[in-house]
């Protein structure tokens, strides 16, 4: 079995930067990533997007090209299309690629699997034609696909970014239905002074809102009680805004309630997690070098708490420097990077307060489907709690919630929130699903070749 | 209807439910299907209700299709290849 000083899982900004820095410090480094090309979701297809598409996706997207180039030029090995499905306590990693399973040994493991979108259970959210906002961005980045009737529903910076990108692409959204309650602006205001240190982000935010206004996109604020209508696909979205019930006809709805750390690998490895009230999500417990409760296992980027792409790149580099320092290799200068990282984070408390998830999504109505795979409703989960299920794992065995192919990725946080509310506790005491291998369903044929070695592949 | 904003790239053709679908070289099956107006890729294994790609990044498993006879393939993670035979996944094809 091949062995590496560092194995990085994920080739987004954190993974690429970490691998570049680690190989620069003389560490043998392997990057495993599911996608066909590096970039992660934020810089998806950055290497193949033409100048036209880059221009409409914005300057920040273009930043990814620099990171990807440095990564390609580095000595790090890179394996695309590699789906990690198990990692044991000795940091032996099993992944499938090219239709077969392979194993590698890591001395240090860097989890750079980033963020996923928060589950957004609401009536009709399983209808074809409903996607996440991340999905419509991916369609634009990878394929230049836009929709003339797209309705963006939810809250968060990504909602506005997607809207401005659609406008630049010549296909403004049909409407934005924003779920931020008016009272939030007052609550968020107390973070404003601190956020001024991150004025670039604030300026970008205001510019996006101006662009939406200028393009004449209708914005329905303070929206609640959202329901998506349709029999076999979406036909309309309805909601209450400004005291009246409204209805917009569309075949394409994109939902967003912020992003949260992708916990699958850190949960699988039994790293300690905590519930962060401000981010309203579970975060792995890490030290100042982003090492988890399990020695030699690090989390770089959004997986350790949402900070955005710039922060992810810096955190990736810091992790590599720490690993190099531990084995006595010459590492880069971390102090300056830490100062920059702190400055970059100044805007987060404001964003977290303003764009906290909508109450409807955290506490869906009884009839709303929460687990999409097994079709379990919020009411069924509450009933299971009333019958004595103390936490997510018992709800899982009572109802099969979280047992489908997505392994709870699409319902886990919502299930923890619903159980906590039903018991009058917090998600932190209720905790989260236990995650078991395989992390992703495998074809039997992929298991057949397990243990076989393969030639090494260089990053170029 | 979805639209493509930029000039034509190389085209890859595959079939979906017996109809021919054109993909741009290098894009995923799910992206090509959405561009072709096909938003339904599978039926729910529980109720049989129609489902379609939701996350486009490999986490939701709503895009499961049958490719060349093999079920449970993620259309959003698999690049379209010429001549692929792709079909919707029906409720009786149990997910492993
Ligand atoms: S669309 Fe979510 S896994 Fe493919």
């Amino acid at each position: 079995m091949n062995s590496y000083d560092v194995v990085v899982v994920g080739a987004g900004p954190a993974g690429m930067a970490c691998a570049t820095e680690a190989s620069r410090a003389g560490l043998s480094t392997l990057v495993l990533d599911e996608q066909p090309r590096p970039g992660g979701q934020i810089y998806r297809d950055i290497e193949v997007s033409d100048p036209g598409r880059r221009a409409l996706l914005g300057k920040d997207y273009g930043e990814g090209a620099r990171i990807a180039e440095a990564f390609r030029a580095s000595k790090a090995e890179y394996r695309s299309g590699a789906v990690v499905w198990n990692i044991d306590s000795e940091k032996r990693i099993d992944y499938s690629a090219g239709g077969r399973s392979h194993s590698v040994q890591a001395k240090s493991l860097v989890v750079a699997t980033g963020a996923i979108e928060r589950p957004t259970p609401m009536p009709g959210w399983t209808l074809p034609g409903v996607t996440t906002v991340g999905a419509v961005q991916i369609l634009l980045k990878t394929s230049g696909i836009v929709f003339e009737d797209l309705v963006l529903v939810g809250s968060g910076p990504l909602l506005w970014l997607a809207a401005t990108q659609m406008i630049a692409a010549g296909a403004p959204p049909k409407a934005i239905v924003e779920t931020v309650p008016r009272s939030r602006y007052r609550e968020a205001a107390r973070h404003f002074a601190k956020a001024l240190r991150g004025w670039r982000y604030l300026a970008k935010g205001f510019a996006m809102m101006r662009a939406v206004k200028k393009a004449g996109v209708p914005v329905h604020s303070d929206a609640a009680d959202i329901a998506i209508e349709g029999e076999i696909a979406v036909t309309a979205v309805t909601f209450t805004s400004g005291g009246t019930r409204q209805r917009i006809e569309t075949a394409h709805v994109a939902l967003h309630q912020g992003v949260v750390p992708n916990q699958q690998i850190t949960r699988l490895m039994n790293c300690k997690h905590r519930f962060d009230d401000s981010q309203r999500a579970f975060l792995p417990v890490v030290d100042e070098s982003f090492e988890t409760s399990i020695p030699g296992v690090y989390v770089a980027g959004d997986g350790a708490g949402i900070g955005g792409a710039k922060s992810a790149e810096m955190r990736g580099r810091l992790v590599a420097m720490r690993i190099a320092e531990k084995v006595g290799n010459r590492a880069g200068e971390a102090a300056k990077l830490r100062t920059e990282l702190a400055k970059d984070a100044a805007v987060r408390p404001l964003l977290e307060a303003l764009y906290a998830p909508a109450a409807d999504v955290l506490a869906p109505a009884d009839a709303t489907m929460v687990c999409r795979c097994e079709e379990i409703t919020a009411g069924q989960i509450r009933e299971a709690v009333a019958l004595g299920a103390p936490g997510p794992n018992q709800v899982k065995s009572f109802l099969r919630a979280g047992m489908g192919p997505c392994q709870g990725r699409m319902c886990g946080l919502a299930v923890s929130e619903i159980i906590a509310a039903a018991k009058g506790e917090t998600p932190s005491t209720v905790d989260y699903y236990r995650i078991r291998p395989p992390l992703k369903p495998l074809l039997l044929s992929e298991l057949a070749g397990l243990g076989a070695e393969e030639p090494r592949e260089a990053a170029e | 209807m979805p639209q493509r904003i930029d000039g034509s790239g190389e085209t890859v053709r595959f079939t979906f439910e017996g109809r021919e679908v054109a993909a741009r070289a290098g894009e995923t099956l799910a992206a090509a299907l959405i561009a072709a107006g096909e938003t339904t890729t599978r039926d729910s294994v529980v109720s049989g209700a129609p489902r379609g790609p939701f996350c486009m990044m490999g986490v939701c498993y709503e895009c499961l299709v049958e490719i060349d006879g093999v079920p449970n393939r993620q259309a959003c993670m698999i690049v379209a290849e010429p001549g692929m035979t792709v079909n919707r996944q029906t409720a009786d094809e149990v997910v492993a």
Side-chain angles (χ1 to χ4, degrees):
Chain A
M1 193 185 348
N2 287 340
S3 170
Y4 294 84
D5 293 326
V6 184
V7 176
V8 181
V9 184
M16 291 192 290
C18 179
T20 306
E21 191 75 34
S23 54
R24 190 181 296 153
L27 301 167
S28 64
T29 306
L30 171 71
V31 178
L32 299 172
D33 187 69
E34 291 185 346
Q35 296 296 333
R37 290 171 287 275
Q41 302 309 330
I42 189 84
Y43 300 134
R44 184 96 179 241
D45 269 2
I46 185 69
E47 293 181 328
V48 291
S49 66
D50 59 27
R53 204 176 286 168
R54 268 193 210 180
L56 66 89
L57 289 168
K59 205 168 125 267
D60 288 345
Y61 176 71
E63 274 291 288
R66 171 183 55 81
I67 307 172
E69 257 167 53
F71 170 55
R72 290 286 193 177
S74 77
K75 288 206 178 72
E77 289 175 38
Y78 165 54
R79 182 100 208 187
S80 62
V83 179
V84 171
W85 57 268
N86 193 22
I87 305 179
D88 70 13
S89 56
E90 304 297 311
K91 304 189 205 69
R92 192 187 104 140
I93 301 152
D94 298 316
Y95 66 96
S96 70
R100 286 182 25 211
S101 225
H102 314 272
S103 302
V104 285
Q105 180 67 50
K107 290 201 185 96
S108 293
L109 171 72
V110 180
V111 182
T113 49
I116 58 175
E117 277 174 88
R118 178 187 299 280
T120 50
M122 59 177 69
W125 74 309
T126 54
L127 285 165
V130 181
T131 65
T132 63
V133 164
V136 294
Q137 278 200 304
I138 289 166
L139 287 167
L140 181 58
K141 288 172 189 168
T142 63
S143 300
I145 294 170
V146 293
F147 306 92
E148 80 228 353
D149 63 346
L150 183 68
V151 179
L152 296 167
V153 178
S155 82
L158 200 64
L159 199 75
W160 295 95
L161 177 62
T164 46
Q165 289 171 336
M166 307 289 155
I167 292 164
K174 187 169 183 179
I176 296 178
V177 178
E178 200 190 31
T179 57
V180 180
R182 290 208 199 291
S183 59
R184 281 281 180 71
Y185 289 90
R186 269 196 313 277
E187 290 157 31
R190 65 196 170 93
H191 301 289
F192 195 76
K194 191 192 172 205
L196 284 174
R197 278 187 79 204
W199 63 272
R200 270 178 218 282
Y201 286 112
L202 294 180
K204 186 180 174 186
F206 289 126
M208 292 193 298
M209 289 177 187
R210 272 198 308 273
V212 167
K213 203 172 163 206
K214 197 168 149 229
V217 177
V219 178
H220 304 273
S221 339
D222 200 1
D225 296 319
I226 294 153
I228 300 161
E229 295 178 359
E231 287 295 321
I232 52 165
V234 189
T235 52
V237 51
T238 62
F239 54 92
T240 305
S241 166
T244 54
R245 196 76 194 151
Q246 312 207 26
R247 183 171 189 277
I248 304 173
E249 282 184 19
T250 175
H252 299 97
V253 175
L255 307 175
H256 186 69
Q257 291 287 337
V259 296
V260 295
N262 178 356
Q263 319 169 61
Q264 298 302 113
I265 292 180
T266 48
R267 289 276 175 190
L268 172 76
M269 299 198 74
N270 289 314
C271 298
K272 270 206 195 80
H273 290 72
R274 66 180 179 90
F275 192 79
D276 186 283
D277 289 321
S278 183
Q279 294 188 20
R280 199 94 194 197
F282 289 100
L283 270 51
V285 175
V286 292
D287 69 10
E288 58 152 26
S289 300
F290 305 100
E291 190 166 8
T292 66
S293 59
I294 302 200
V297 177
Y298 300 78
V299 183
D302 274 355
I306 304 304
K310 262 188 123 173
S311 159
E313 181 193 358
M314 289 190 268
R315 291 194 263 171
R317 292 183 56 200
L318 281 170
V319 166
M321 288 173 187
R322 176 65 181 148
I323 297 170
E325 181 188 298
K326 270 198 177 177
V327 299
N329 287 22
R330 248 191 64 162
E333 187 46 65
K336 208 178 127 229
L337 211 48
R338 282 189 195 284
T339 314
E340 240 179 284
L341 191 61
K343 192 177 157 209
D344 190 76
V347 75
R348 302 314 304 186
L350 174 70
L351 294 180
E352 286 162 12
L354 186 58
Y355 295 129
D360 291 352
V361 158
L362 293 179
D366 277 345
T368 301
M369 201 185 290
V370 174
C371 165
R372 300 171 60 108
C373 296
E374 298 291 335
E375 301 196 347
I376 309 298
T377 63
Q380 285 174 280
I381 296 165
R382 291 179 184 122
E383 204 179 326
V385 173
L387 291 171
N393 293 304
Q394 294 75 20
V395 165
K396 188 172 176 176
S397 40
F398 276 30
L399 299 171
R400 292 188 58 82
M403 282 235 248
C406 93
Q407 290 222 339
R409 289 169 177 88
M410 300 310 300
C411 69
L413 261 186
V415 168
S416 293
E417 291 270 7
I418 292 166
I419 297 172
K423 295 177 69 182
E425 291 178 14
T426 63
S428 126
T429 51
V430 163
D431 212 13
Y432 192 80
Y433 292 135
R434 200 173 305 117
I435 300 299
R436 294 224 165 85
L439 286 173
K440 297 218 162 176
L442 285 166
L443 298 176
L444 268 183
S445 58
E446 289 175 309
L447 269 176
L450 187 59
E453 293 301 331
E454 73 197 85
R456 290 181 168 213
E457 180 195 6
E460 61 276 353
Chain B
M1 264 299 279
Q3 280 157 11
R4 305 253 192 191
I5 53 165
D6 39 25
S8 49
E10 213 182 307
T11 303
V12 165
R13 286 174 205 287
F14 64 96
T15 64
F16 180 67
E17 295 285 314
R19 288 181 299 281
E20 194 177 86
V21 175
R24 295 281 168 82
E27 78 182 0
T28 62
L29 287 169
L33 289 172
I34 288 171
E38 298 279 3
T39 49
T40 303
T41 41
R42 73 163 173 121
D43 294 343
S44 152
V45 291
V46 180
S47 66
R51 297 287 178 87
F54 183 69
C55 73
M56 289 300 289
M57 55 181 271
V59 297
C60 75
Y61 289 81
E62 296 289 13
C63 63
L64 293 179
V65 291
E66 190 192 281
I67 303 173
D68 297 329
V70 181
N72 297 325
R73 312 303 318 274
Q74 281 174 289
C76 76
M77 298 293 285
I78 295 172
V79 172
E81 304 284 353
M84 274 178 166
T85 303
V86 183
N87 282 298
R88 281 199 186 104
Q89 183 147 318
T90 49
D92 51 8
E93 286 173 310
V94 180
V95 173

